[in-house]
Amino acid sequence: MKIAMIGTGYVGLVSGVCFSDFGHDVVCVDKNPEKIAMLERGEVPIFEPGLDALIEKNVAAGRLSFTTDLPAAVDGAEAVFIAVGTPTRRGDGHADLSYVMAAAEEIAHAITGYTVVVTKSTVPVGTNRQVEEVIAKANPQAEFDVASNPEFLREGAAIEDFMKPDRIIVGVQNDRAAQVMADIYRPLYLREFPIITTDLESAEMIKYAANAFLATKITFINEIAALCERVGADIKQVSKGMGRDGRIGNKFLHAGPGYGGSCFPKDTKALARIGQDHGLPMQITETVIKVNDETRRRMIEKITDMMDGHLAGKTVAVLGVTFKPNTDDMREAPSLTVIPALIGAGARVRVVDPQGRREGEALLPGVHWMDDAYKAAQNADALVILTEWNEFRALDLKRLAKRMAFPAMADLRNIYSAQDARRAGFARYVSVGRSDYRAGD
Ligand SMILES: NC(=O)c1ccc[n+]([C@@H]2O[C@H](COP(=O)([O-])OP(=O)(O)OC[C@H]3O[C@@H](n4cnc5c(N)ncnc54)[C@H](O)[C@@H]3O)[C@@H](O)[C@H]2O)c1
């Protein structure tokens, strides 16, 4: 099948590349010429494990190409996917649909023959019908259907998620479009990954409901973690005990510095907005947004308290700035709240992150980038773990403590324990949802 993928970001690029790996003929389009030029040179504009090899393989096989020329890519395509960004609209929390609608209009003028226009971007209920109207108005002759196909991949494990999904959601209005979608996903369907076919509105709603639910689960455990600290319980034991209940499950029960990233913050805000627009406030989601903001603020207090309130002139080494490991994505990362607060309080901040520098340099002015945790710890007054990259999971804590001016660690991902820290010679250790350790207490 011939497929055009409009938007070559974290979702569009992975989806386009994986579709080409299924054997489809895919053209990935982006309006950012630098991105396309990089891809044409064989470079990958984002960090996503395994993506470079898959691109190389499918380009070599002649099934995958990149262009800024949307009309040429759409011409003759049986399916055109819209995978452009839907960021939070300034001021009101609503999803900004301007990129989706602009893409729809461009697509409308380029359609030839029957085409299914598929929205992969996360969009509020009703957007696919709007896309349909935009196309029909811009090109009354266009023979097309719209379909909703929200994406559930996780950055850092995107290829695996795309190739082995829990489910594929397809919202359609008729059998003809459903058949095209079934043909596209046939390789997964044959391997018994379920395709759930729904109406347009349900497909759109599933994506927001799923993300808001996951954000709620994380926020719930973060709130329980805060209570654990007050009552002397250990959140790791609590999570383990809860997660063994099959009705709850053990995923997304890790306490930490609050959710961030390219999806949960904007999708919870958009869902809250959708509820308000329909006179039905999403009270749980609204509370989740509030509690998550508080969780982030609590992390700053934790670090400040660990340093007895004295950050001015102190050196803090921060390990990890991306919103999670195995990605270079910095969108809404906790580091963007925590690090400016440390700098604002007068601290000198050193940063180590395996992939975060390219994006992070512009977002975190005033930090000193280093490439090694031990070098960053040299003469530092505190160490803060913000992202649980594998390379930070098995640090030689003794070696770290020895070289610090004052060995204090804020482990905001609960990688280590107070016992580990004490044994290694740390004078202070704070984490999330567990008792702090202070030498001499
Ligand atoms: N990032 C994720 O993990 C994830 C997961 C599931 C769903 N989503 C959803 O997928 C959508 C895309 O997210 P993303 O993270 O890939 O965004 P992104 O910002 O990384 O990529 C969007 C790309 O679209 C391009 N673009 C915008 N308008 C265009 C146009 N008219 N023609 C061609 N290209 C255009 C931009 O230049 C950009 O490269 C969003 O709605 C997001 O909510 C993201």
Side-chain angles (χ1 to χ4, degrees):
M1 291 188 76
K2 189 173 175 228
I3 294 174
M5 182 65 64
I6 314 301
T8 306
Y10 287 85
V11 165
L13 183 57
V14 171
S15 306
V17 171
C18 290
F19 282 147
S20 72
D21 205 58
F22 292 172
H24 300 311
D25 189 359
V26 180
V27 184
C28 290
V29 184
D30 207 285
K31 64 176 184 185
N32 179 342
E34 281 163 36
K35 243 181 213 186
I36 295 301
M38 278 183 88
L39 286 159
E40 283 182 324
R41 287 197 300 271
E43 295 165 23
V44 187
I46 56 167
F47 175 73
E48 181 60 50
L51 192 56
D52 44 0
L54 212 56
I55 291 177
E56 201 183 323
K57 175 185 160 195
N58 287 289
V59 168
R63 291 189 292 258
L64 178 64
S65 60
F66 306 98
T67 184
T68 53
D69 187 348
L70 184 145
V74 169
D75 184 8
E78 288 149 283
V80 179
F81 283 78
I82 300 176
V84 300
T86 49
T88 301
R89 193 163 72 190
R90 275 205 169 178
D92 64 3
H94 219 286
D96 180 353
L97 295 177
S98 57
Y99 302 100
V100 172
M101 295 309 162
E105 181 133 13
E106 281 184 78
I107 292 164
H109 296 295
I111 284 178
T112 50
Y114 176 70
T115 311
V116 181
V117 180
V118 192
T119 305
K120 206 166 230 334
S121 301
T122 302
V123 294
V125 178
T127 305
N128 273 274
R129 291 203 190 274
Q130 266 175 271
V131 166
E132 189 174 29
E133 279 168 28
V134 166
I135 298 174
K137 194 168 162 218
N139 180 1
Q141 269 75 52
E143 195 195 347
F144 74 102
D145 277 308
V146 293
S148 169
N149 176 218
E151 183 50 55
F152 298 93
L153 61 77
R154 294 164 302 164
E155 287 173 22
I159 295 170
E160 172 91 359
D161 284 353
F162 197 92
M163 297 294 201
K164 296 178 183 168
D166 294 329
R167 76 307 202 187
I168 299 146
I169 303 294
V170 173
V172 283
Q173 302 181 93
N174 57 42
D175 290 346
R176 194 175 180 193
Q179 189 55 53
V180 170
M181 295 305 290
D183 290 346
I184 291 171
Y185 280 107
R186 183 176 312 282
L188 296 183
Y189 181 69
L190 291 175
R191 288 163 62 206
E192 299 193 351
F193 294 106
I195 297 186
I196 300 174
T197 307
T198 70
D199 54 76
L200 293 175
E201 286 73 16
S202 303
E204 292 167 331
M205 184 58 103
I206 286 167
K207 176 64 190 175
Y208 279 108
N211 269 3
F213 190 85
L214 293 172
T216 303
K217 201 171 174 191
I218 296 174
T219 306
F220 181 86
I221 206 67
N222 283 337
E223 194 171 53
I224 294 290
L227 189 58
C228 282
E229 289 170 13
R230 293 280 169 92
V231 301
D234 179 325
I235 194 65
K236 279 198 133 176
Q237 295 177 30
V238 173
S239 294
K240 202 170 172 186
M242 281 174 70
R244 294 296 292 186
D245 185 326
R247 295 166 301 178
I248 297 173
N250 59 8
K251 304 254 171 70
F252 281 73
L253 278 188
H254 303 288
Y259 63 75
S262 59
C263 293
F264 290 168
K266 81 173 176 63
D267 293 347
T268 46
K269 278 186 209 143
L271 181 62
R273 193 66 225 190
I274 295 167
Q276 284 160 11
D277 288 351
H278 288 81
L280 193 78
M282 294 287 100
Q283 298 178 62
I284 293 173
T285 303
E286 288 184 6
T287 304
V288 163
I289 295 167
K290 196 168 136 258
V291 175
N292 193 58
D293 287 345
E294 282 162 15
T295 302
R296 287 187 175 207
R297 275 199 297 277
R298 223 164 58 77
M299 298 303 122
I300 298 163
E301 280 163 26
K302 256 181 198 299
I303 300 166
T304 309
D305 290 351
M306 179 179 79
M307 300 177 76
D308 295 329
H310 304 305
L311 274 87
K314 297 284 171 68
T315 299
V316 181
V318 174
L319 305 187
V321 292
T322 53
F323 88 91
K324 67 173 174 179
N326 294 324
T327 182
D328 57 353
D329 200 338
M330 292 285 299
R331 287 178 281 187
E332 301 274 346
S335 63
L336 298 179
T337 316
V338 171
I339 292 176
L342 300 179
I343 292 175
R348 282 188 295 266
V349 177
R350 296 172 180 165
V351 164
V352 183
D353 191 287
Q355 292 292 337
R357 186 167 183 171
R358 190 165 56 180
E359 279 285 303
E361 267 187 331
L363 298 169
L364 293 169
V367 305
H368 184 48
W369 291 86
M370 301 186 82
D371 53 14
D372 177 86
Y374 299 99
K375 282 188 203 151
Q378 188 71 41
N379 293 325
D381 301 284
L383 188 76
V384 176
I385 301 180
L386 267 183
T387 314
E388 68 280 33
W389 282 92
N390 265 345
E391 37 271 84
F392 304 145
R393 284 182 181 276
L395 292 167
D396 181 343
L397 296 188
K398 249 190 201 153
R399 208 177 133 201
L400 279 174
K402 234 188 241 164
R403 57 184 54 211
M404 292 178 72
F406 183 75
M409 184 191 335
D411 172 11
L412 304 183
R413 296 289 179 175
N414 288 351
I415 296 173
Y416 301 103
S417 68
Q419 206 181 23
D420 296 335
R422 182 174 53 78
R423 280 204 199 118
F426 273 88
R428 291 183 189 171
Y429 174 84
V430 303
S431 57
V432 182
R434 301 181 297 172
S435 305
D436 295 346
Y437 164 71
R438 265 179 186 249
D441 277 5

Short mmCIF file of all heavy atoms in Angstrom, two decimals, residues 139-182:
data_model
loop_
_atom_site.label_atom_id
_atom_site.label_comp_id
_atom_site.label_asym_id
_atom_site.label_seq_id
_atom_site.Cartn_x
_atom_site.Cartn_y
_atom_site.Cartn_z
N ASN A 139 -11.92 20.81 -0.95
CA ASN A 139 -11.91 20.07 -2.23
C ASN A 139 -13.17 19.22 -2.32
O ASN A 139 -13.17 18.04 -1.99
CB ASN A 139 -10.66 19.19 -2.30
CG ASN A 139 -10.61 18.40 -3.61
OD1 ASN A 139 -11.49 18.52 -4.46
ND2 ASN A 139 -9.57 17.57 -3.74
N PRO A 140 -14.29 19.85 -2.77
CA PRO A 140 -15.57 19.12 -2.80
C PRO A 140 -15.53 17.87 -3.67
O PRO A 140 -16.35 16.98 -3.50
CB PRO A 140 -16.54 20.16 -3.38
CG PRO A 140 -15.88 21.49 -3.18
CD PRO A 140 -14.41 21.24 -3.21
N GLN A 141 -14.56 17.77 -4.57
CA GLN A 141 -14.48 16.59 -5.43
C GLN A 141 -13.74 15.42 -4.78
O GLN A 141 -13.78 14.30 -5.29
CB GLN A 141 -13.73 16.93 -6.74
CG GLN A 141 -14.62 17.40 -7.87
CD GLN A 141 -15.08 18.83 -7.64
OE1 GLN A 141 -14.25 19.70 -7.38
NE2 GLN A 141 -16.38 19.06 -7.70
N ALA A 142 -13.08 15.68 -3.67
CA ALA A 142 -12.21 14.64 -3.08
C ALA A 142 -13.03 13.43 -2.67
O ALA A 142 -14.10 13.56 -2.05
CB ALA A 142 -11.48 15.21 -1.87
N GLU A 143 -12.52 12.26 -3.04
CA GLU A 143 -13.19 11.01 -2.64
C GLU A 143 -12.39 10.46 -1.46
O GLU A 143 -11.26 9.99 -1.63
CB GLU A 143 -13.17 10.03 -3.82
CG GLU A 143 -14.13 8.88 -3.62
CD GLU A 143 -13.85 7.73 -4.60
OE1 GLU A 143 -13.09 7.93 -5.57
OE2 GLU A 143 -14.40 6.65 -4.37
N PHE A 144 -12.97 10.57 -0.26
CA PHE A 144 -12.17 10.21 0.92
C PHE A 144 -13.06 9.82 2.11
O PHE A 144 -14.26 10.09 2.12
CB PHE A 144 -11.30 11.41 1.34
CG PHE A 144 -12.09 12.51 2.01
CD1 PHE A 144 -12.08 12.67 3.39
CD2 PHE A 144 -12.89 13.38 1.27
CE1 PHE A 144 -12.83 13.66 4.01
CE2 PHE A 144 -13.64 14.38 1.88
CZ PHE A 144 -13.61 14.52 3.25
N ASP A 145 -12.44 9.16 3.06
CA ASP A 145 -13.06 8.95 4.38
C ASP A 145 -12.04 9.39 5.42
O ASP A 145 -10.84 9.39 5.16
CB ASP A 145 -13.37 7.46 4.60
CG ASP A 145 -14.69 7.06 3.96
OD1 ASP A 145 -15.71 7.73 4.23
OD2 ASP A 145 -14.71 6.06 3.20
N VAL A 146 -12.54 9.72 6.60
CA VAL A 146 -11.60 9.99 7.69
C VAL A 146 -11.60 8.78 8.64
O VAL A 146 -12.58 8.03 8.71
CB VAL A 146 -11.95 11.28 8.48
CG1 VAL A 146 -11.76 12.51 7.62
CG2 VAL A 146 -13.35 11.21 9.06
N ALA A 147 -10.49 8.62 9.35
CA ALA A 147 -10.38 7.55 10.36
C ALA A 147 -9.56 8.09 11.52
O ALA A 147 -8.70 8.96 11.34
CB ALA A 147 -9.72 6.31 9.76
N SER A 148 -9.86 7.58 12.71
CA SER A 148 -9.11 7.96 13.90
C SER A 148 -8.28 6.76 14.33
O SER A 148 -8.81 5.66 14.49
CB SER A 148 -10.09 8.35 15.01
OG SER A 148 -9.41 8.47 16.23
N ASN A 149 -6.97 6.98 14.47
CA ASN A 149 -6.09 5.86 14.84
C ASN A 149 -5.06 6.34 15.86
O ASN A 149 -3.89 6.53 15.57
CB ASN A 149 -5.41 5.33 13.55
CG ASN A 149 -4.39 4.24 13.78
OD1 ASN A 149 -3.36 4.20 13.13
ND2 ASN A 149 -4.66 3.34 14.71
N PRO A 150 -5.55 6.61 17.09
CA PRO A 150 -4.64 7.16 18.10
C PRO A 150 -3.46 6.23 18.36
O PRO A 150 -3.57 5.02 18.19
CB PRO A 150 -5.52 7.29 19.35
CG PRO A 150 -6.69 6.40 19.12
CD PRO A 150 -6.88 6.36 17.63
N GLU A 151 -2.35 6.83 18.77
CA GLU A 151 -1.12 6.07 18.95
C GLU A 151 -0.80 5.95 20.45
O GLU A 151 -0.97 6.89 21.20
CB GLU A 151 0.03 6.79 18.21
CG GLU A 151 1.34 6.06 18.26
CD GLU A 151 1.20 4.59 17.86
OE1 GLU A 151 0.70 4.29 16.78
OE2 GLU A 151 1.58 3.73 18.69
N PHE A 152 -0.33 4.76 20.84
CA PHE A 152 -0.07 4.52 22.26
C PHE A 152 1.40 4.22 22.55
O PHE A 152 1.73 3.80 23.65
CB PHE A 152 -0.95 3.36 22.76
CG PHE A 152 -2.41 3.66 22.64
CD1 PHE A 152 -3.12 3.29 21.52
CD2 PHE A 152 -3.08 4.35 23.65
CE1 PHE A 152 -4.48 3.58 21.39
CE2 PHE A 152 -4.43 4.65 23.54
CZ PHE A 152 -5.13 4.26 22.41
N LEU A 153 2.26 4.42 21.54
CA LEU A 153 3.66 4.07 21.77
C LEU A 153 4.27 4.91 22.88
O LEU A 153 3.85 6.03 23.13
CB LEU A 153 4.47 4.22 20.48
CG LEU A 153 4.58 5.59 19.79
CD1 LEU A 153 5.56 6.50 20.49
CD2 LEU A 153 4.97 5.39 18.35
N ARG A 154 5.26 4.31 23.54
CA ARG A 154 6.01 5.04 24.57
C ARG A 154 7.36 5.41 24.01
O ARG A 154 8.05 4.53 23.47
CB ARG A 154 6.22 4.16 25.82
CG ARG A 154 5.00 3.80 26.58
CD ARG A 154 5.31 2.63 27.51
NE ARG A 154 5.79 1.48 26.74
CZ ARG A 154 6.43 0.43 27.27
NH1 ARG A 154 6.67 0.38 28.56
NH2 ARG A 154 6.82 -0.58 26.51
N GLU A 155 7.74 6.66 24.15
CA GLU A 155 9.09 7.03 23.73
C GLU A 155 10.08 6.19 24.52
O GLU A 155 9.87 5.91 25.70
CB GLU A 155 9.34 8.52 23.98
CG GLU A 155 8.59 9.38 22.99
CD GLU A 155 8.68 10.86 23.32
OE1 GLU A 155 9.60 11.28 24.02
OE2 GLU A 155 7.78 11.60 22.87
N GLY A 156 11.16 5.79 23.86
CA GLY A 156 12.16 4.97 24.54
C GLY A 156 11.93 3.49 24.27
O GLY A 156 12.84 2.68 24.36
N ALA A 157 10.67 3.13 23.97
CA ALA A 157 10.36 1.73 23.62
C ALA A 157 9.37 1.76 22.46
O ALA A 157 8.51 0.90 22.30
CB ALA A 157 9.74 1.02 24.83
N ALA A 158 9.52 2.78 21.61
CA ALA A 158 8.50 3.09 20.61
C ALA A 158 8.36 2.01 19.54
O ALA A 158 7.25 1.67 19.14
CB ALA A 158 8.80 4.44 19.97
N ILE A 159 9.49 1.46 19.11
CA ILE A 159 9.41 0.47 18.02
C ILE A 159 8.75 -0.81 18.54
O ILE A 159 7.84 -1.36 17.92
CB ILE A 159 10.82 0.19 17.45
CG1 ILE A 159 11.31 1.48 16.78
CG2 ILE A 159 10.80 -0.96 16.46
CD1 ILE A 159 12.75 1.44 16.37
N GLU A 160 9.20 -1.24 19.69
CA GLU A 160 8.62 -2.43 20.33
C GLU A 160 7.10 -2.22 20.53
O GLU A 160 6.30 -3.10 20.23
CB GLU A 160 9.33 -2.64 21.68
CG GLU A 160 8.73 -3.71 22.57
CD GLU A 160 9.36 -5.08 22.35
OE1 GLU A 160 10.23 -5.19 21.48
OE2 GLU A 160 8.93 -6.01 23.05
N ASP A 161 6.73 -1.05 21.03
CA ASP A 161 5.31 -0.78 21.26
C ASP A 161 4.52 -0.77 19.97
O ASP A 161 3.38 -1.24 19.91
CB ASP A 161 5.13 0.58 21.97
CG ASP A 161 5.48 0.51 23.44
OD1 ASP A 161 5.73 -0.61 23.94
OD2 ASP A 161 5.51 1.57 24.09
N PHE A 162 5.12 -0.21 18.91
CA PHE A 162 4.39 -0.13 17.65
C PHE A 162 4.25 -1.51 17.03
O PHE A 162 3.21 -1.85 16.46
CB PHE A 162 5.11 0.81 16.66
CG PHE A 162 4.23 1.23 15.53
CD1 PHE A 162 3.48 2.39 15.61
CD2 PHE A 162 4.10 0.46 14.38
CE1 PHE A 162 2.63 2.78 14.58
CE2 PHE A 162 3.26 0.83 13.34
CZ PHE A 162 2.52 1.99 13.44
N MET A 163 5.30 -2.32 17.15
CA MET A 163 5.32 -3.65 16.52
C MET A 163 4.56 -4.68 17.34
O MET A 163 4.14 -5.70 16.82
CB MET A 163 6.76 -4.13 16.32
CG MET A 163 7.57 -3.26 15.39
SD MET A 163 6.93 -3.34 13.71
CE MET A 163 8.35 -2.80 12.76
N LYS A 164 4.45 -4.44 18.65
CA LYS A 164 3.75 -5.40 19.51
C LYS A 164 2.76 -4.66 20.40
O LYS A 164 2.90 -4.63 21.63
CB LYS A 164 4.76 -6.15 20.40
CG LYS A 164 5.73 -7.00 19.63
CD LYS A 164 6.71 -7.66 20.57
CE LYS A 164 7.73 -8.46 19.81
NZ LYS A 164 8.86 -8.87 20.65
N PRO A 165 1.75 -4.04 19.79
CA PRO A 165 0.84 -3.20 20.60
C PRO A 165 -0.12 -4.04 21.44
O PRO A 165 -0.44 -5.18 21.08
CB PRO A 165 0.07 -2.42 19.53
CG PRO A 165 0.07 -3.32 18.33
CD PRO A 165 1.36 -4.09 18.38
N ASP A 166 -0.55 -3.47 22.56
CA ASP A 166 -1.60 -4.13 23.36
C ASP A 166 -2.88 -4.20 22.54
O ASP A 166 -3.64 -5.15 22.63
CB ASP A 166 -1.88 -3.32 24.63
CG ASP A 166 -0.70 -3.32 25.56
OD1 ASP A 166 0.06 -4.30 25.56
OD2 ASP A 166 -0.50 -2.31 26.28
N ARG A 167 -3.10 -3.14 21.77
CA ARG A 167 -4.27 -3.08 20.89
C ARG A 167 -4.06 -1.96 19.89
O ARG A 167 -3.25 -1.05 20.11
CB ARG A 167 -5.57 -2.84 21.68
CG ARG A 167 -5.86 -1.44 22.18
CD ARG A 167 -4.79 -0.84 22.97
NE ARG A 167 -5.24 0.24 23.87
CZ ARG A 167 -4.40 0.98 24.56
NH1 ARG A 167 -3.08 0.81 24.46
NH2 ARG A 167 -4.86 1.92 25.37
N ILE A 168 -4.82 -2.06 18.78
CA ILE A 168 -4.81 -0.99 17.78
C ILE A 168 -6.24 -0.46 17.76
O ILE A 168 -7.19 -1.24 17.62
CB ILE A 168 -4.43 -1.55 16.39
CG1 ILE A 168 -3.02 -2.15 16.45
CG2 ILE A 168 -4.52 -0.47 15.32
CD1 ILE A 168 -2.85 -3.35 15.57
N ILE A 169 -6.37 0.83 17.94
CA ILE A 169 -7.71 1.43 17.94
C ILE A 169 -7.95 2.10 16.60
O ILE A 169 -7.13 2.91 16.15
CB ILE A 169 -7.84 2.49 19.07
CG1 ILE A 169 -7.54 1.88 20.45
CG2 ILE A 169 -9.23 3.16 19.02
CD1 ILE A 169 -8.52 0.85 20.94
N VAL A 170 -9.04 1.73 15.98
CA VAL A 170 -9.39 2.31 14.69
C VAL A 170 -10.83 2.81 14.74
O VAL A 170 -11.77 2.00 14.88
CB VAL A 170 -9.22 1.25 13.56
CG1 VAL A 170 -9.75 1.80 12.25
CG2 VAL A 170 -7.77 0.85 13.39
N GLY A 171 -11.00 4.10 14.63
CA GLY A 171 -12.35 4.69 14.58
C GLY A 171 -12.70 5.00 13.14
O GLY A 171 -11.95 5.70 12.45
N VAL A 172 -13.81 4.45 12.67
CA VAL A 172 -14.20 4.67 11.26
C VAL A 172 -15.71 4.90 11.17
O VAL A 172 -16.45 4.66 12.14
CB VAL A 172 -13.85 3.44 10.37
CG1 VAL A 172 -12.38 3.40 10.04
CG2 VAL A 172 -14.29 2.14 11.01
N GLN A 173 -16.13 5.31 9.98
CA GLN A 173 -17.57 5.53 9.76
C GLN A 173 -18.16 4.50 8.81
O GLN A 173 -19.38 4.44 8.66
CB GLN A 173 -17.80 6.92 9.17
CG GLN A 173 -17.27 8.03 10.05
CD GLN A 173 -17.55 9.38 9.45
OE1 GLN A 173 -18.56 10.00 9.75
NE2 GLN A 173 -16.69 9.85 8.57
N ASN A 174 -17.33 3.75 8.13
CA ASN A 174 -17.87 2.76 7.19
C ASN A 174 -16.88 1.62 6.94
O ASN A 174 -15.71 1.69 7.35
CB ASN A 174 -18.27 3.43 5.86
CG ASN A 174 -17.09 4.16 5.23
OD1 ASN A 174 -15.97 3.64 5.21
ND2 ASN A 174 -17.33 5.35 4.74
N ASP A 175 -17.35 0.58 6.27
CA ASP A 175 -16.55 -0.62 6.04
C ASP A 175 -15.38 -0.38 5.09
O ASP A 175 -14.33 -1.01 5.20
CB ASP A 175 -17.43 -1.75 5.45
CG ASP A 175 -18.42 -2.26 6.48
OD1 ASP A 175 -18.23 -1.94 7.67
OD2 ASP A 175 -19.38 -2.95 6.09
N ARG A 176 -15.60 0.55 4.16
CA ARG A 176 -14.55 0.79 3.16
C ARG A 176 -13.27 1.29 3.85
O ARG A 176 -12.18 0.80 3.60
CB ARG A 176 -15.05 1.81 2.14
CG ARG A 176 -14.20 1.88 0.91
CD ARG A 176 -14.81 2.81 -0.12
NE ARG A 176 -13.98 2.87 -1.31
CZ ARG A 176 -14.13 3.79 -2.26
NH1 ARG A 176 -15.11 4.70 -2.15
NH2 ARG A 176 -13.35 3.80 -3.32
N ALA A 177 -13.45 2.27 4.74
CA ALA A 177 -12.29 2.80 5.47
C ALA A 177 -11.73 1.74 6.42
O ALA A 177 -10.51 1.60 6.58
CB ALA A 177 -12.69 4.05 6.24
N ALA A 178 -12.64 0.97 7.03
CA ALA A 178 -12.19 -0.08 7.97
C ALA A 178 -11.31 -1.09 7.23
O ALA A 178 -10.31 -1.57 7.77
CB ALA A 178 -13.40 -0.79 8.59
N GLN A 179 -11.67 -1.37 5.97
CA GLN A 179 -10.89 -2.35 5.19
C GLN A 179 -9.49 -1.84 4.90
O GLN A 179 -8.50 -2.57 5.01
CB GLN A 179 -11.65 -2.67 3.88
CG GLN A 179 -11.06 -3.82 3.10
CD GLN A 179 -10.95 -5.11 3.94
OE1 GLN A 179 -11.93 -5.55 4.55
NE2 GLN A 179 -9.75 -5.68 4.04
N VAL A 180 -9.39 -0.55 4.55
CA VAL A 180 -8.07 0.04 4.28
C VAL A 180 -7.21 -0.04 5.55
O VAL A 180 -6.04 -0.42 5.51
CB VAL A 180 -8.22 1.51 3.81
CG1 VAL A 180 -6.85 2.21 3.75
CG2 VAL A 180 -8.89 1.57 2.44
N MET A 181 -7.82 0.29 6.70
CA MET A 181 -7.06 0.25 7.95
C MET A 181 -6.64 -1.19 8.28
O MET A 181 -5.54 -1.42 8.76
CB MET A 181 -7.90 0.84 9.10
CG MET A 181 -8.22 2.32 8.96
SD MET A 181 -6.78 3.36 8.72
CE MET A 181 -6.02 3.27 10.33
N ALA A 182 -7.54 -2.12 8.01
CA ALA A 182 -7.22 -3.54 8.28
C ALA A 182 -6.05 -3.98 7.39
O ALA A 182 -5.16 -4.71 7.84
CB ALA A 182 -8.45 -4.41 8.04
#
